Amino acid sequence: MFSEDNRRKIIRRLKNEKDRNNFLSTIGEIRFGKLFNELGFQIEYDKLFPNNQKPDWEIRIRGSSAICDVYRLGKSEKDQFRSDFENRLIEKIEGIQQRYFLKIYFVDAHFDTTFYNVDLITNEVRDWLTSSQKEVGERISIQNNFEFEVIKSQTETENVCCLGNVSPIEIKSQKVKQSGNLKPNEITKKLHKYDSIISEYKVPFFICVYIDFASGFKHRDLQDNFLGRGVKFVDFGTPMASMEQFRHLGQAWSELGEFYNNLQLSGIITFFNEQFKLLLNPNRQQIIYEQRNEEMLLKLKIITDANEGNN
């Protein structure tokens, strides 16, 4: 699938990566590389440009090239901390040598992980299980937040099996839509990261967003943010003086998206639920619409054509 040089770079990255989130981000980069390869582009991973920047992918076709940088839109930081905590807890619980199948429940699904200790919770569960024979349906509450229920006893395995908790997703809208009073989000940082490459080499630029299901976001969220959306005038604070004051209420207008503020961005390619979608910058002055990039544009539009009619 990939050239020998690309394979070598990817394998080195995967072997050297110790951080779980960065490892998953690299998997997202690979998935987009596979897409570009299937579309018929020549591709190069982590190409080093003279300014020492390395976009994730450079894609080429018949003398036309573009740079593509991948962003994994994952869980909120707090959700990730809780998920990692739960995984560590389950791993410890399943180290207990007792023949039970347990399920975890969280009293407060948005608990602060810094208040709890995995080893202390595990020891309490171990003491509970070894104190007497437990029946199906028996429960224990630990530290007022963790409940364990016996789903099955006398299992065939020597160690405890443990089923995790289904937690609500905390959706951080600022991970997609930049608020003026907050520090730049990761997508905002990427928007101008390669301005020097774009201006010097006159190449199209795409941000590729790998949307993790657990993030709570969908393709539509990126579409609304970058293409814009319809809005209606609503004003509940206007004093009731005359109907003339209310003629504008309910009228529809368009809230312009980030494409109109970032003309250097050729488009957004999203991957969600095993499906790719393409958002092109609607400004016809954008470099992607130049004649020399015509074949590249046609290739990329295959993404849209393949998913036409799917939301």
Side-chain angles (χ1 to χ4, degrees), residues 196-213:
S196 60
I197 297 177
I198 296 167
S199 60
E200 182 175 352
Y201 295 92
K202 308 298 181 186
V203 292
F205 168 48
F206 290 89
I207 295 178
C208 305
V209 184
Y210 188 99
I211 306 176
D212 191 320
F213 179 80

Side-chain angles (χ1 to χ4, degrees), residues 20-42:
R20 177 180 179 274
N21 288 329
N22 290 340
F23 183 88
L24 292 175
S25 294
T26 303
I27 298 300
E29 293 164 10
I30 294 170
R31 191 63 187 85
F32 277 99
K34 183 173 182 289
L35 167 71
F36 297 137
N37 188 73
E38 291 171 348
L39 290 173
F41 291 104
Q42 293 176 286

Side-chain angles (χ1 to χ4, degrees), residues 1 27 81 127 130 163 191 203 218 228 249 266 295 309 311:
M1 179 180 71
I27 298 300
F81 283 155
D127 292 343
T130 57
L163 181 64
L191 284 174
V203 292
K218 297 181 180 179
L249 300 184
S266 302
E295 188 167 358
N311 295 321

Side-chain angles (χ1 to χ4, degrees), residues 9 12-13 16 29 44-58 66-70 190 193-194 196-197 205:
K9 289 179 180 178
R12 187 189 309 124
R13 173 74 64 83
N16 294 336
E29 293 164 10
E44 184 171 352
Y45 183 64
D46 261 3
K47 178 179 177 177
L48 179 62
F49 282 80
N51 63 356
N52 289 322
Q53 286 187 311
K54 295 194 292 185
D56 293 319
W57 292 103
E58 181 190 43
I67 57 173
C68 308
D69 214 41
V70 180
K190 285 185 180 293
K193 183 177 181 179
Y194 300 106
S196 60
I197 297 177
F205 168 48

